[in-house]
Amino acid sequence: MKSAFNRSFLALATIVIVAGAGPAAAQDKPLKKYESGTKDFWNNPPPDWFLGDETEAQKGLTPVAGPPTGSSDAELAALIKKIKLPEGFKIEVYAPGVLAARQMAWGDKGTLFVGSFGLGNVYAIKDNGGKKEVKTILKGLNMPTGLAFQDGALYVIAVDKLIKYDNAEANLDNLGAGKVVYDDMPSFAAHGWKYLAPDKDGWFYVPFGPPFNIGIPPTTVSQIRRVDPKTGNAELVALGVRNSVGGDVDPRSGKYWFTENARDWMSDDIPSDKLNVISKLGEHFGYPYCHQGDLPDPKFAMGHKCSEFTPPVLNLGAHVAPLGMKFYTGNQFPAEYKNSILIAEHGSWNRHKYQGARIVRVTADPDGKNAKEMEFASGWIEGDRGYLGRPADVIQDKDGSILVADDWAGAIYRISYAKK
């Protein structure tokens, strides 16, 4: 399956190049359509599986690939001047050269570990006298987007394996092969990249996306599990989840909140991506029958009503692609930020005018009520479809500032606050 994804990733880049030929070329081609509800489809997804439900209205839209070498120091310096923040906040480049950066995790000794999308790399960033050293510590893994650190060990999830690297900070130059601690996972590469969210018991919440845009999913996916890395035990905690690549445990209640990317190929403006919270074991969040809490799927509703499923805490907007999120628990930001959720929105591709590519702040009661959204950091989009960067994850630093991973620019930013 690793080689299948590599082919898909290369095909995606090829499609982006072909798309540059112009609208006329796209309009001359027939609509892409696949019967994604068959076993053959998800055993061997085609390279352009994400185009399988193309519509006339959105014909020719394709995922976009960032610069293969990331953004230069000069480009990053120009970029951060364009980022808009609330008064008193500032942004700076924390570390460049972190290609395809995704989830981040802190080591006990101050090492910042970063996963990646597509490249198979895991990075370690060390502070050497104020200068950040970026070291590639693992290579050749299958989409190691998600990672966590606890009890001295680095955990990396690579599509169908959760791998433990003991005593990681002392062995950055030679982590070895690691130990697989959980592998009861399908090997579907499409939507198979994952995110790890530890809870107070040391278990990880792990999302499992279906290997297509829309369809009746295999019973091993469209769900969230809670996995114990010590024993390999796991429990199923939620169903009906399409594509979640971000989540965090609420420090107030211990409940798991998660972002969810809704289906593509309905229109520019529906359905909305979501923020959800799991309140009881086994909740169903609607996929593929219902979207955004109130929109039956035109093909796959199959008689189901949206009232059968758990609605979102908040609809975040169509195709904003919310990924990593964290509850803010620090003391550097103003008091009203305490327990707010900071969400990295990766941004659109299945939309004629992109939106997202920003950090939003959400406030909500512990039970999910009274949710409100505010824009926190923006400016990574120029014009209708020009990305300067695409935020992918957020993590809090020990001083109360936050770091933001950008997989487009291949960089980590630091956002801090100081009273004037």
Side-chain angles (χ1 to χ4, degrees):
M1 205 61 186
K2 177 180 176 182
S3 60
F5 179 80
N6 288 341
R7 290 195 300 271
S8 298
F9 195 75
L10 291 172
L12 186 153
T14 303
I15 288 167
V16 172
I17 294 169
V18 171
Q27 295 305 318
D28 290 341
K29 296 180 180 180
L31 293 175
K32 290 284 186 180
K33 181 174 176 57
Y34 294 114
E35 289 301 325
S36 56
T38 67
K39 184 176 181 180
D40 286 343
F41 179 93
W42 46 263
N43 274 340
N44 297 287
D48 54 353
W49 55 273
F50 41 82
L51 298 183
D53 306 278
E54 196 176 31
T55 60
E56 196 65 50
Q58 292 180 293
K59 188 176 182 180
L61 296 178
T62 60
V64 288
T69 56
S71 297
S72 67
D73 289 348
E75 288 169 330
L76 289 170
L79 166 59
I80 60 173
K81 293 178 181 178
K82 299 177 181 180
I83 303 303
K84 298 176 182 177
L85 292 162
E87 185 176 357
F89 287 88
K90 74 172 183 177
I91 185 169
E92 57 195 313
V93 177
Y94 180 85
V98 193
L99 299 182
R102 280 293 179 110
Q103 188 175 6
M104 300 175 285
W106 285 110
D108 293 335
K109 299 176 182 178
T111 306
L112 182 67
F113 294 97
V114 188
S116 72
F117 184 94
L119 297 181
N121 296 340
V122 174
Y123 307 100
I125 304 176
K126 299 281 289 184
D127 189 331
N128 291 331
K131 183 175 181 178
K132 303 301 186 295
E133 178 189 3
V134 180
K135 183 189 296 284
T136 302
I137 57 172
L138 292 169
K139 296 181 179 180
L141 295 177
N142 189 9
M143 296 297 289
T145 56
L147 41 76
F149 190 95
Q150 60 185 24
D151 299 327
L154 174 67
Y155 291 86
V156 178
I157 194 157
V159 175
D160 58 353
K161 295 179 179 63
L162 177 60
I163 309 167
K164 179 183 181 182
Y165 299 90
D166 282 310
N167 202 18
E169 286 184 287
N171 295 288
L172 295 179
D173 292 322
N174 185 18
L175 286 179
K179 177 184 178 182
V180 176
V181 296
Y182 184 71
D183 63 359
D184 183 15
M185 298 183 274
S187 59
F188 313 130
H191 288 157
W193 45 91
K194 295 176 173 66
Y195 194 91
L196 295 178
D199 67 10
K200 62 180 179 60
D201 298 319
W203 291 47
F204 299 137
Y205 285 96
V206 185
F208 289 73
F212 40 59
N213 169 37
I214 188 73
I216 302 300
T219 56
T220 52
V221 294
S222 293
Q223 60 192 236
I224 292 174
R225 302 180 199 174
R226 184 170 169 263
V227 176
D228 182 0
K230 293 185 178 67
T231 63
N233 291 331
E235 63 177 356
L236 185 62
V237 296
L239 298 166
V241 178
R242 182 182 178 271
N243 181 27
S244 175
V245 202
D248 197 16
V249 174
D250 189 336
R252 302 167 297 180
S253 67
K255 293 179 180 178
Y256 181 63
W257 295 58
F258 63 97
T259 57
E260 183 182 1
N261 289 242
R263 65 158 294 181
D264 296 312
W265 302 114
M266 286 187 74
S267 84
D268 277 11
D269 299 315
I270 57 172
S272 178
D273 294 332
K274 302 189 295 180
L275 174 65
N276 304 305
V277 60
I278 300 175
S279 296
K280 59 183 179 181
L281 202 65
E283 281 183 282
H284 196 297
F285 288 85
Y287 178 87
Y289 313 108
C290 174
H291 312 290
Q292 66 182 41
D294 60 3
L295 181 66
D297 189 85
K299 180 177 179 180
F300 290 97
M302 298 183 296
H304 288 283
K305 296 179 180 179
C306 287
S307 58
E308 299 174 37
F309 309 111
T310 300
V313 168
L314 190 66
N315 282 322
L316 299 171
H319 309 296
V320 297
L323 299 185
M325 54 160 277
K326 294 291 185 298
F327 282 88
Y328 184 77
T329 59
N331 295 314
Q332 184 185 109
F333 290 7
E336 61 266 27
Y337 280 76
K338 199 82 163 189
N339 296 320
S340 293
I341 304 169
L342 297 172
I343 301 174
E345 292 185 347
H346 199 227
S348 312
W349 69 265
N350 195 235
R351 197 174 197 274
H352 288 90
K353 183 176 181 179
Y354 293 163
Q355 58 185 5
R358 60 181 183 169
I359 307 296
V360 297
R361 173 185 166 218
V362 174
T363 59
D365 298 340
D367 59 4
K369 294 180 180 178
N370 299 313
K372 297 178 182 177
E373 178 188 14
M374 295 143 277
E375 189 169 75
F376 175 66
S378 64
W380 282 278
I381 298 178
E382 278 192 328
D384 287 350
R385 297 169 70 175
Y387 279 124
L388 301 176
R390 302 185 73 182
D393 193 30
V394 178
I395 195 170
Q396 186 176 302
D397 203 345
K398 59 186 177 183
D399 66 355
S401 63
I402 64 166
L403 303 183
V404 178
D406 180 341
D407 66 354
W408 177 279
I412 310 295
Y413 312 107
R414 177 177 182 262
I415 297 177
S416 59
Y417 176 80
K419 293 181 180 179
K420 291 188 177 181

